[in-house]
Each structure stands twice: as C-alpha cells, then as structure tokens.
Amino acid sequence: MAPLAKNFDIFFGLESPTRKGLDSVQKDCDISKTLEAIRVARECGFGVTGNFIIDPDFTEEDFYQLWNFIEAHQLFRVGFTILTPLPGTKFFEGSRGRLKVLDWGQYDLHHLLWKSRLPVERFFEIYCETWRRTVLNAGGRKKWWQWLPQVDLRHIGHLARILFRSQQLMNPQAYLDEYVIPADED
C-alpha cells in the first residue's frame, strides 16, 4: 500500500478534540487513540482527512479548543457537521425531548435541530469561521496557484460550481436563511 498511500487520505470520524466531547457522542475512544491513529496513518504515508461534530451546546471556548487542536495536530483537511440525532438511533430516541425541528429535510448534519447555547447568529458566525479556517487551506498554507497543476482543464466548470457551493459553508446568512426553530423556542 505504501506506493499508493501518497495518493490517498484516510478519513477519520475524529468527532471531538476533548474527552467530554467524545463522551457526549458515545465515541468509545479517547484523544490519545485519536492521535495515535493519525500518527500511524501519517507514518504509513497516508494523508489524514477527518470530521468533527459541532454540538449546538458549544461555547466560544469550545470552538477555540477545536481550532487549537486542528492547528496543533496539523489537521488541514477536515469537515464539520452539526450534531444531528439520526432517526433510528438510540441518540435520536434520547434526544426527542429537545428536538424542535421535525422537517426531515433539516436532518442533513448542517442545520440546528434545537436552540444553540450561543445566540444563533453568533453560533453560525463561529461555525462559518471554523470552515473558513480550513476550506481550501484558507489559512494560507497553500496558495491558490499551487493548486493549479492539479486541475484538469476539462473539469473547470465542475470545479467552479463546487467552489461556488463551498462558499456557502462560510456564509452565516446562508444558515440563518434556513433556520427554522420556532420563534417561541429562541
């Protein structure tokens, strides 16, 4: 696999940079195991891509901890999903009392399904900042012209559509426009 490793990333459900966060999503793992898995993947020559869960109960400090963890462990290809109890799971059954949205179209891992701890506008501002810090290495680790040799000109139209859509990940208003928790719950 070593000759192929340079062309592939291993996708990890990293979920959280803290023990408390891992416990909240019933991840039977601890941070040391997460870091060991990342180390082994890199040692074998694989890239690391991961996903973190953003809990509506996050404080600003929780977001800062996530940003610091990503930077400290050089996790530059990551994604973020909002904690979503999926129907048919124990978590969904245990979350029924707090769910305020019953539109199944909102159960896509990018919508709030109950009131966030932070004011909703602030939650989405920081959530979008989290994307902004990582999407296409927006932190400046790789300049846009360094991506060009990887682009097949036959696919430039498709790439442009993807780039346009990815901009919505970093636009708090796009999330607020779809926010549907009843006003009396806010």
Side-chain angles (χ1 to χ4, degrees), residues 80-119:
F80 309 96
T81 54
I82 295 175
L83 181 61
T84 302
L86 298 174
T89 65
K90 288 181 184 178
F91 185 56
F92 178 81
E93 293 304 322
S95 299
R96 279 187 183 267
R98 70 189 312 196
L99 293 173
K100 303 300 178 194
V101 176
L102 299 176
D103 173 2
W104 299 121
Q106 300 285 305
Y107 284 69
D108 62 359
L109 309 175
H110 291 284
H111 287 86
L112 283 172
L113 301 176
W114 60 84
K115 187 178 182 292
S116 57
R117 174 182 287 190
L118 293 169

Short mmCIF file of all heavy atoms in Angstrom, two decimals, residues 80-119:
data_model
loop_
_atom_site.label_atom_id
_atom_site.label_comp_id
_atom_site.label_asym_id
_atom_site.label_seq_id
_atom_site.Cartn_x
_atom_site.Cartn_y
_atom_site.Cartn_z
N PHE A 80 -16.86 19.64 9.09
CA PHE A 80 -17.59 19.89 10.33
C PHE A 80 -19.07 19.64 10.08
O PHE A 80 -19.63 20.13 9.10
CB PHE A 80 -17.37 21.33 10.79
CG PHE A 80 -15.91 21.68 10.84
CD1 PHE A 80 -15.32 22.33 9.78
CD2 PHE A 80 -15.14 21.31 11.92
CE1 PHE A 80 -13.97 22.64 9.79
CE2 PHE A 80 -13.78 21.61 11.95
CZ PHE A 80 -13.20 22.27 10.88
N THR A 81 -19.69 18.90 10.97
CA THR A 81 -21.12 18.66 10.89
C THR A 81 -21.76 19.06 12.21
O THR A 81 -21.15 18.91 13.28
CB THR A 81 -21.43 17.19 10.57
OG1 THR A 81 -20.77 16.35 11.52
CG2 THR A 81 -20.97 16.82 9.18
N ILE A 82 -22.96 19.57 12.13
CA ILE A 82 -23.69 19.93 13.34
C ILE A 82 -24.33 18.67 13.90
O ILE A 82 -24.89 17.85 13.16
CB ILE A 82 -24.75 21.01 13.02
CG1 ILE A 82 -24.04 22.30 12.57
CG2 ILE A 82 -25.64 21.27 14.23
CD1 ILE A 82 -24.97 23.41 12.12
N LEU A 83 -24.19 18.50 15.20
CA LEU A 83 -24.72 17.32 15.88
C LEU A 83 -26.18 17.10 15.49
O LEU A 83 -27.03 17.98 15.68
CB LEU A 83 -24.59 17.48 17.40
CG LEU A 83 -25.07 16.32 18.25
CD1 LEU A 83 -24.28 15.05 17.94
CD2 LEU A 83 -24.93 16.68 19.73
N THR A 84 -26.44 15.94 14.91
CA THR A 84 -27.76 15.61 14.39
C THR A 84 -28.16 14.21 14.84
O THR A 84 -27.56 13.23 14.40
CB THR A 84 -27.77 15.67 12.84
OG1 THR A 84 -27.36 16.97 12.43
CG2 THR A 84 -29.13 15.35 12.27
N PRO A 85 -29.15 14.09 15.69
CA PRO A 85 -29.62 12.76 16.07
C PRO A 85 -30.38 12.15 14.88
O PRO A 85 -31.40 12.68 14.46
CB PRO A 85 -30.58 13.02 17.24
CG PRO A 85 -30.44 14.45 17.59
CD PRO A 85 -29.84 15.15 16.41
N LEU A 86 -29.85 11.08 14.34
CA LEU A 86 -30.46 10.48 13.15
C LEU A 86 -31.55 9.48 13.54
O LEU A 86 -31.35 8.66 14.45
CB LEU A 86 -29.40 9.81 12.29
CG LEU A 86 -28.34 10.78 11.75
CD1 LEU A 86 -27.24 10.02 11.03
CD2 LEU A 86 -28.97 11.82 10.83
N PRO A 87 -32.71 9.57 12.89
CA PRO A 87 -33.80 8.65 13.20
C PRO A 87 -33.34 7.19 13.13
O PRO A 87 -32.53 6.82 12.28
CB PRO A 87 -34.83 8.95 12.10
CG PRO A 87 -34.54 10.37 11.71
CD PRO A 87 -33.04 10.50 11.83
N GLY A 88 -33.83 6.41 14.09
CA GLY A 88 -33.48 5.01 14.14
C GLY A 88 -32.31 4.71 15.07
O GLY A 88 -31.97 3.55 15.29
N THR A 89 -31.70 5.77 15.62
CA THR A 89 -30.58 5.57 16.54
C THR A 89 -31.02 5.79 17.98
O THR A 89 -32.02 6.46 18.24
CB THR A 89 -29.42 6.55 16.22
OG1 THR A 89 -29.88 7.89 16.47
CG2 THR A 89 -28.96 6.41 14.77
N LYS A 90 -30.26 5.23 18.91
CA LYS A 90 -30.53 5.45 20.34
C LYS A 90 -30.40 6.93 20.67
O LYS A 90 -31.16 7.46 21.47
CB LYS A 90 -29.56 4.65 21.20
CG LYS A 90 -29.82 3.17 21.20
CD LYS A 90 -28.82 2.45 22.10
CE LYS A 90 -29.04 0.95 22.01
NZ LYS A 90 -28.05 0.22 22.83
N PHE A 91 -29.45 7.60 20.02
CA PHE A 91 -29.25 9.02 20.27
C PHE A 91 -30.50 9.82 19.88
O PHE A 91 -30.91 10.73 20.58
CB PHE A 91 -28.01 9.53 19.54
CG PHE A 91 -27.66 10.95 19.84
CD1 PHE A 91 -27.46 11.38 21.14
CD2 PHE A 91 -27.52 11.88 18.82
CE1 PHE A 91 -27.14 12.70 21.43
CE2 PHE A 91 -27.20 13.20 19.10
CZ PHE A 91 -27.01 13.60 20.41
N PHE A 92 -31.11 9.45 18.75
CA PHE A 92 -32.34 10.12 18.32
C PHE A 92 -33.43 9.93 19.38
O PHE A 92 -34.09 10.89 19.78
CB PHE A 92 -32.81 9.58 16.98
CG PHE A 92 -34.09 10.18 16.50
CD1 PHE A 92 -34.11 11.41 15.87
CD2 PHE A 92 -35.30 9.52 16.68
CE1 PHE A 92 -35.30 11.97 15.42
CE2 PHE A 92 -36.50 10.08 16.24
CZ PHE A 92 -36.50 11.31 15.61
N GLU A 93 -33.60 8.69 19.83
CA GLU A 93 -34.64 8.42 20.83
C GLU A 93 -34.37 9.20 22.11
O GLU A 93 -35.29 9.76 22.70
CB GLU A 93 -34.72 6.91 21.12
CG GLU A 93 -35.23 6.10 19.94
CD GLU A 93 -36.58 6.54 19.41
OE1 GLU A 93 -37.47 6.91 20.23
OE2 GLU A 93 -36.75 6.56 18.18
N GLY A 94 -33.11 9.28 22.53
CA GLY A 94 -32.76 10.02 23.74
C GLY A 94 -32.85 11.53 23.58
O GLY A 94 -32.90 12.25 24.56
N SER A 95 -32.88 12.01 22.34
CA SER A 95 -32.91 13.45 22.06
C SER A 95 -34.31 13.98 21.76
O SER A 95 -34.48 15.18 21.60
CB SER A 95 -32.00 13.76 20.86
OG SER A 95 -30.69 13.39 21.13
N ARG A 96 -35.29 13.12 21.66
CA ARG A 96 -36.64 13.54 21.26
C ARG A 96 -37.15 14.74 22.05
O ARG A 96 -37.79 15.62 21.49
CB ARG A 96 -37.62 12.39 21.38
CG ARG A 96 -37.59 11.45 20.23
CD ARG A 96 -38.73 10.43 20.37
NE ARG A 96 -38.69 9.45 19.33
CZ ARG A 96 -39.37 9.55 18.18
NH1 ARG A 96 -40.10 10.60 17.94
NH2 ARG A 96 -39.30 8.59 17.29
N GLY A 97 -36.86 14.81 23.33
CA GLY A 97 -37.36 15.90 24.17
C GLY A 97 -36.80 17.26 23.81
O GLY A 97 -37.44 18.28 24.06
N ARG A 98 -35.62 17.30 23.22
CA ARG A 98 -35.04 18.60 22.91
C ARG A 98 -35.20 18.99 21.44
O ARG A 98 -34.96 20.13 21.07
CB ARG A 98 -33.59 18.67 23.36
CG ARG A 98 -32.62 17.84 22.60
CD ARG A 98 -31.23 17.76 23.20
NE ARG A 98 -30.64 19.01 23.58
CZ ARG A 98 -29.36 19.20 23.83
NH1 ARG A 98 -28.52 18.20 23.72
NH2 ARG A 98 -28.90 20.38 24.18
N LEU A 99 -35.58 18.04 20.59
CA LEU A 99 -35.74 18.33 19.16
C LEU A 99 -36.87 19.32 18.94
O LEU A 99 -37.97 19.15 19.45
CB LEU A 99 -36.01 17.05 18.37
CG LEU A 99 -34.86 16.06 18.32
CD1 LEU A 99 -35.31 14.76 17.66
CD2 LEU A 99 -33.67 16.65 17.59
N LYS A 100 -36.61 20.36 18.18
CA LYS A 100 -37.60 21.40 17.88
C LYS A 100 -37.94 21.42 16.40
O LYS A 100 -38.83 22.16 15.99
CB LYS A 100 -37.08 22.78 18.30
CG LYS A 100 -36.70 22.87 19.75
CD LYS A 100 -37.88 22.58 20.66
CE LYS A 100 -37.47 22.63 22.11
NZ LYS A 100 -38.48 22.04 23.00
N VAL A 101 -37.25 20.63 15.60
CA VAL A 101 -37.45 20.61 14.15
C VAL A 101 -37.82 19.19 13.75
O VAL A 101 -37.10 18.24 14.06
CB VAL A 101 -36.17 21.06 13.40
CG1 VAL A 101 -36.36 20.95 11.90
CG2 VAL A 101 -35.79 22.47 13.80
N LEU A 102 -38.95 19.04 13.07
CA LEU A 102 -39.38 17.72 12.62
C LEU A 102 -39.40 17.60 11.11
O LEU A 102 -39.87 16.60 10.57
CB LEU A 102 -40.75 17.40 13.22
CG LEU A 102 -40.76 17.38 14.76
CD1 LEU A 102 -42.17 17.16 15.28
CD2 LEU A 102 -39.80 16.33 15.30
N ASP A 103 -38.89 18.60 10.43
CA ASP A 103 -38.77 18.57 8.97
C ASP A 103 -37.54 17.73 8.63
O ASP A 103 -36.41 18.14 8.88
CB ASP A 103 -38.63 19.99 8.43
CG ASP A 103 -38.33 20.06 6.94
OD1 ASP A 103 -38.24 18.99 6.28
OD2 ASP A 103 -38.16 21.18 6.43
N TRP A 104 -37.76 16.53 8.05
CA TRP A 104 -36.66 15.61 7.78
C TRP A 104 -35.62 16.22 6.83
O TRP A 104 -34.47 15.81 6.83
CB TRP A 104 -37.17 14.28 7.23
CG TRP A 104 -38.07 13.58 8.20
CD1 TRP A 104 -39.36 13.21 8.00
CD2 TRP A 104 -37.78 13.19 9.56
NE1 TRP A 104 -39.88 12.62 9.12
CE2 TRP A 104 -38.93 12.59 10.10
CE3 TRP A 104 -36.64 13.29 10.37
CZ2 TRP A 104 -38.98 12.10 11.40
CZ3 TRP A 104 -36.71 12.79 11.66
CH2 TRP A 104 -37.86 12.21 12.16
N GLY A 105 -35.99 17.20 6.04
CA GLY A 105 -35.05 17.87 5.16
C GLY A 105 -33.97 18.63 5.93
O GLY A 105 -32.93 18.97 5.37
N GLN A 106 -34.22 18.89 7.20
CA GLN A 106 -33.25 19.60 8.04
C GLN A 106 -32.25 18.64 8.72
O GLN A 106 -31.31 19.08 9.34
CB GLN A 106 -33.99 20.40 9.12
CG GLN A 106 -34.95 21.44 8.56
CD GLN A 106 -34.24 22.64 8.00
OE1 GLN A 106 -33.45 23.28 8.67
NE2 GLN A 106 -34.50 22.95 6.75
N TYR A 107 -32.48 17.35 8.59
CA TYR A 107 -31.64 16.35 9.24
C TYR A 107 -30.47 15.96 8.33
O TYR A 107 -30.23 14.80 8.03
CB TYR A 107 -32.46 15.11 9.62
CG TYR A 107 -33.33 15.34 10.84
CD1 TYR A 107 -34.41 16.20 10.79
CD2 TYR A 107 -33.04 14.72 12.03
CE1 TYR A 107 -35.20 16.43 11.90
CE2 TYR A 107 -33.82 14.94 13.16
CZ TYR A 107 -34.89 15.79 13.09
OH TYR A 107 -35.66 16.03 14.20
N ASP A 108 -29.70 16.96 7.90
CA ASP A 108 -28.62 16.75 6.93
C ASP A 108 -27.24 17.05 7.51
O ASP A 108 -26.27 17.17 6.79
CB ASP A 108 -28.86 17.61 5.70
CG ASP A 108 -28.85 19.09 6.02
OD1 ASP A 108 -28.68 19.48 7.19
OD2 ASP A 108 -29.02 19.89 5.08
N LEU A 109 -27.15 17.19 8.82
CA LEU A 109 -25.90 17.45 9.54
C LEU A 109 -25.40 18.89 9.39
O LEU A 109 -24.28 19.20 9.80
CB LEU A 109 -24.79 16.47 9.11
CG LEU A 109 -25.16 14.98 9.15
CD1 LEU A 109 -24.01 14.14 8.59
CD2 LEU A 109 -25.52 14.54 10.55
N HIS A 110 -26.23 19.77 8.82
CA HIS A 110 -25.83 21.17 8.66
C HIS A 110 -26.91 22.15 9.14
O HIS A 110 -26.81 23.33 8.84
CB HIS A 110 -25.45 21.46 7.21
CG HIS A 110 -24.20 20.78 6.80
ND1 HIS A 110 -22.96 21.21 7.18
CD2 HIS A 110 -23.99 19.65 6.10
CE1 HIS A 110 -22.04 20.39 6.72
NE2 HIS A 110 -22.63 19.44 6.06
N HIS A 111 -27.89 21.64 9.86
CA HIS A 111 -28.95 22.50 10.40
C HIS A 111 -29.04 22.29 11.91
O HIS A 111 -28.81 21.18 12.40
CB HIS A 111 -30.30 22.16 9.77
CG HIS A 111 -30.42 22.62 8.36
ND1 HIS A 111 -29.99 21.87 7.30
CD2 HIS A 111 -30.93 23.75 7.84
CE1 HIS A 111 -30.23 22.51 6.17
NE2 HIS A 111 -30.79 23.67 6.47
N LEU A 112 -29.39 23.35 12.61
CA LEU A 112 -29.68 23.23 14.04
C LEU A 112 -31.06 22.61 14.20
O LEU A 112 -32.01 23.04 13.53
CB LEU A 112 -29.67 24.60 14.72
CG LEU A 112 -28.31 25.22 15.00
CD1 LEU A 112 -28.47 26.65 15.49
CD2 LEU A 112 -27.53 24.39 16.01
N LEU A 113 -31.18 21.65 15.09
CA LEU A 113 -32.46 21.00 15.33
C LEU A 113 -33.03 21.36 16.69
O LEU A 113 -34.13 20.97 17.03
CB LEU A 113 -32.31 19.48 15.21
CG LEU A 113 -31.80 19.01 13.85
CD1 LEU A 113 -31.59 17.51 13.85
CD2 LEU A 113 -32.74 19.43 12.75
N TRP A 114 -32.27 22.11 17.47
CA TRP A 114 -32.72 22.70 18.72
C TRP A 114 -31.89 23.95 18.95
O TRP A 114 -30.91 24.19 18.27
CB TRP A 114 -32.61 21.72 19.90
CG TRP A 114 -31.25 21.21 20.22
CD1 TRP A 114 -30.29 21.82 20.98
CD2 TRP A 114 -30.67 19.97 19.80
NE1 TRP A 114 -29.16 21.04 21.04
CE2 TRP A 114 -29.38 19.89 20.33
CE3 TRP A 114 -31.14 18.91 19.02
CZ2 TRP A 114 -28.54 18.81 20.11
CZ3 TRP A 114 -30.29 17.83 18.80
CH2 TRP A 114 -29.01 17.79 19.34
N LYS A 115 -32.32 24.74 19.90
CA LYS A 115 -31.68 26.03 20.16
C LYS A 115 -30.23 25.83 20.60
O LYS A 115 -29.93 25.01 21.45
CB LYS A 115 -32.46 26.77 21.25
CG LYS A 115 -32.00 28.18 21.49
CD LYS A 115 -32.87 28.82 22.56
CE LYS A 115 -32.49 30.25 22.80
NZ LYS A 115 -31.19 30.43 23.40
N SER A 116 -29.34 26.60 20.01
CA SER A 116 -27.93 26.55 20.40
C SER A 116 -27.72 27.32 21.70
O SER A 116 -28.49 28.21 22.04
CB SER A 116 -27.06 27.14 19.29
OG SER A 116 -27.45 28.46 18.99
N ARG A 117 -26.65 26.98 22.41
CA ARG A 117 -26.31 27.69 23.65
C ARG A 117 -25.98 29.15 23.35
O ARG A 117 -26.43 30.06 24.03
CB ARG A 117 -25.13 27.03 24.35
CG ARG A 117 -24.66 27.85 25.56
CD ARG A 117 -23.47 27.24 26.23
NE ARG A 117 -23.90 26.05 26.95
CZ ARG A 117 -23.14 25.40 27.81
NH1 ARG A 117 -21.92 25.80 28.04
NH2 ARG A 117 -23.59 24.35 28.42
N LEU A 118 -25.14 29.36 22.32
CA LEU A 118 -24.82 30.71 21.89
C LEU A 118 -26.02 31.29 21.15
O LEU A 118 -26.82 30.53 20.58
CB LEU A 118 -23.63 30.69 20.93
CG LEU A 118 -22.28 30.28 21.50
CD1 LEU A 118 -21.27 30.05 20.38
CD2 LEU A 118 -21.78 31.36 22.45
N PRO A 119 -26.17 32.61 21.10
CA PRO A 119 -27.20 33.17 20.23
C PRO A 119 -26.99 32.61 18.81
O PRO A 119 -25.85 32.46 18.35
CB PRO A 119 -26.94 34.67 20.28
CG PRO A 119 -26.21 34.88 21.58
CD PRO A 119 -25.39 33.63 21.80
#
